[in-house]
Amino acid sequence: MPPRMRIPGRAAAVTASLTAALALLLAPAPATASGRVALTLEDVPRTMVMYSADEGAEGTNEDFQVPVAVVPGNTEPARDITVVVDASGLKGVARVVPGGYGNCFGSGWVFTCDYGTLRNDGESNAPFRIVGVDGVEPGDSGTVTYTARAANAAPVTGTTRMVVGGPTLGAPGEDVKVSGVEPGRPAPVTPEFANHTRFAADRGVALHLRASGGLTLKARHGNCSYAGAPPTSAWCVFPTKAAPGAAYRTDTPLAYVAAGKELSGTLSYSWSATPEKPAGHTVRGTGTPVALVRTKDGGFDAVNGTVEVETTVQADYRPVTGTVRGRVGDTVEVRLGAHDLGPGRLEGDEVEGRFEVVPPEGTTVTSIPYAFEEADHTWGCARPERPGDAFVCDLGGEAFARNGTADIVFRVRIDRQVAGAPGTIRTYHPYDRTPGNDTAVIPLEASPAPAYRSLMRPTAWAAIAVTVGAAVALVTVVRRRLRRRRGGAG
């Protein structure tokens, strides 16, 4: 047994300190919250409209979500995050049924959602779907509470107040068509609606007007807030308590403008009896407020009113043509298509037009090949059902790319010479307002087939075979006669 060693007092103190430090370094990490990770529920809405009072038990809403984020600056991920959502505060004003994206569970009023592990980012789940109940009034409300937890972060709690909305306000269901709008010059739009419910809009009403497809709005009215630069969205609030069974319109049109090269655009608008301004509408109009006046009810029962706008700008298409040139029997290539002269700019869902080809008489189109997604295809245009009809080439199809000129190779066999019978190519576009340059000819310049080619025909080979056979037969007869004579002389 080795002898014990005595450690002087100062050395013993140092040793004890080192031992304690090593114990701290080697100790396992605690399983509870470390203080280095934090969660936030700041993106969950604090108020929300569930459904309109007039919808009653037919009202539904699937928009409630609980986004959970990790506060930036953490040194480790938030592990095993769960959120418990309690909707019991909605009793009497709504029902809830299970929702979510497959990772929320529960029944009755309480649901638990699994969010997994997050690092410096967020995740969202929809714990339930809201269903309306009968007998509610506008403004009835309840609360939903939720708590987010993680294995290594302190819990965070939030609350959302859910409100039964005012009456449903209907917009015109039939789209309005407007043409001849000059780019750069303000044009008018007059939104309208009707209240077909038994409730009055006691909190006033709001209009949400949206512009797309190169259209923008003019920020003019003092009771409207605008979003975008230049604005493409307006939120206008009116104190009018829209009465049951009444229809209204704005007392003055709102203005929109089309950009310089736009062919078309769309305006859409909706009305709300629970005015809550959407995010981003930070520019306030400085002009005279727009008001509401009574109007004739046009059976307004749609969610959105829509105005389809066409401008004075055109997309002038000109044919791209070529000559079918070769000898009879040849299969040649000619590139045909359409060239966009503008000045209009095709964007969005606008029709891209087409061109139609009638090949010259005496020819046959054998293929219109193209490649798409690493595969070769034989026909880039629709073939005619009857001889002499046109091949139709849709410029919105996969065989064509939008680059100012859209063309494709036609492989054409020259069957015979036909003088003065060119083919034709014609372009079509709904925004082409210059018809004088829409048609061009496809000339045919066919030379006679070379002499050797006539020998390749089956009929020629048959004649040759007959001639050769006759010659062989004649030689055979002559030889036989000569042999007989020689035999007789001997």
Side-chain angles (χ1 to χ4, degrees):
M1 181 175 179
R4 294 182 179 180
M5 296 180 62
R6 294 182 58 86
I7 301 176
R10 180 175 296 179
V14 172
T15 302
S17 299
L18 289 173
T19 303
L22 287 173
L24 289 174
L25 290 173
L26 299 177
T32 58
S34 66
R36 291 178 291 179
V37 179
L39 304 176
T40 177
L41 295 167
E42 64 181 2
D43 292 331
V44 187
R46 295 296 174 255
T47 61
M48 176 178 166
V49 177
M50 295 183 290
Y51 59 96
S52 295
D54 55 279
E55 294 179 294
E58 296 182 357
T60 61
N61 192 319
E62 300 181 19
D63 296 336
F64 178 63
Q65 298 184 20
V66 182
V68 176
V70 179
V71 176
N74 60 294
T75 58
E76 59 182 281
R79 299 189 300 272
D80 301 328
I81 302 172
T82 61
V83 176
V84 177
V85 185
D86 186 346
S88 59
L90 300 182
K91 290 180 181 178
V93 295
R95 296 184 297 113
V96 293
V97 296
Y101 308 129
N103 49 4
C104 292
F105 312 93
S107 61
W109 295 100
V110 180
F111 298 84
T112 300
C113 299
D114 294 330
Y115 285 67
T117 296
L118 300 175
R119 177 191 288 275
N120 296 324
D121 53 10
E123 185 65 59
S124 184
N125 279 293
F128 50 73
R129 179 167 59 94
I130 300 170
V131 180
V133 296
D134 290 327
V136 293
E137 298 285 333
D140 288 350
S141 65
T143 58
V144 174
T145 61
Y146 32 87
T147 300
R149 292 183 174 86
N152 57 334
V156 183
T157 300
T159 301
T160 296
R161 179 174 175 264
M162 300 210 170
V163 183
V164 176
T168 301
L169 305 179
E174 185 175 351
D175 292 357
V176 176
K177 307 289 185 181
V178 176
S179 60
V181 173
E182 185 176 343
R185 176 172 293 183
V189 57
T190 303
E192 48 191 351
F193 74 91
N195 180 5
H196 291 157
T197 77
R198 63 184 180 88
F199 301 103
D202 291 333
R203 297 179 58 190
V205 299
L207 165 69
H208 191 188
L209 175 64
R210 302 167 294 277
S212 61
L215 304 182
T216 58
L217 305 175
K218 300 293 289 185
R220 288 183 170 176
H221 303 287
N223 58 329
C224 299
S225 299
Y226 299 85
T232 56
S233 180
W235 177 261
C236 305
V237 179
F238 305 88
T240 304
K241 299 180 179 181
Y248 300 83
R249 62 171 175 83
T250 57
D251 67 340
T252 186
L254 281 73
Y256 65 94
V257 177
K261 293 185 178 181
E262 296 300 328
L263 300 168
S264 64
T266 302
L267 296 167
S268 63
Y269 63 86
S270 57
W271 297 86
S272 172
T274 310
E276 292 185 6
K277 184 170 66 176
H281 291 70
T282 57
V283 177
R284 188 70 175 265
T286 57
T288 303
V290 63
L292 295 179
V293 294
R294 291 285 189 104
T295 191
K296 182 180 179 181
D297 192 337
F300 305 149
D301 292 311
V303 175
N304 294 295
T306 303
V307 181
E308 300 290 347
V309 177
E310 289 190 2
T311 72
T312 57
V313 180
Q314 72 160 336
D316 183 17
Y317 272 30
R318 181 189 68 191
V320 174
T321 188
T323 300
V324 178
R325 182 181 291 110
R327 293 177 178 269
V328 173
D330 288 350
T331 296
V332 300
E333 293 185 349
V334 58
R335 187 170 287 275
L336 306 173
H339 181 65
D340 181 5
L341 299 176
R345 180 173 53 204
L346 289 174
E347 292 183 352
D349 297 328
E350 291 155 338
V351 176
E352 301 208 26
R354 69 184 191 277
F355 65 91
E356 297 183 359
V357 173
V358 177
E361 185 179 351
T363 66
T364 300
V365 177
T366 60
S367 66
I368 309 173
Y370 71 98
F372 182 74
E373 292 184 349
E374 301 181 356
D376 294 329
H377 303 269
T378 304
W379 296 101
C381 302
R383 288 174 285 178
E385 295 182 358
R386 298 176 301 179
D389 287 351
F391 290 80
V392 179
C393 305
D394 181 5
L395 298 181
E398 64 184 21
F400 298 92
R402 183 196 299 175
N403 57 1
T405 297
D407 53 16
I408 195 169
V409 168
F410 278 63
R411 287 181 178 167
V412 183
R413 186 182 67 239
I414 303 174
D415 299 321
R416 64 186 188 277
Q417 287 181 286
V418 180
T424 58
I425 176 172
R426 181 186 298 273
T427 60
Y428 295 87
H429 194 280
Y431 296 99
D432 187 342
R433 302 185 180 94
T434 308
N437 63 352
D438 290 349
T439 304
V441 299
I442 306 172
L444 171 63
E445 296 181 4
S447 303
Y452 72 84
R453 189 169 288 166
S454 62
L455 297 178
M456 303 300 292
R457 297 175 182 171
T459 54
W461 280 107
I464 292 172
V466 171
T467 301
V468 170
V472 170
L474 178 61
V475 170
T476 301
V477 170
V478 171
R479 285 180 175 177
R480 287 176 180 174
R481 288 179 179 178
L482 288 174
R483 287 173 185 163
R484 290 173 183 171
R485 290 177 182 177
R486 290 170 182 171

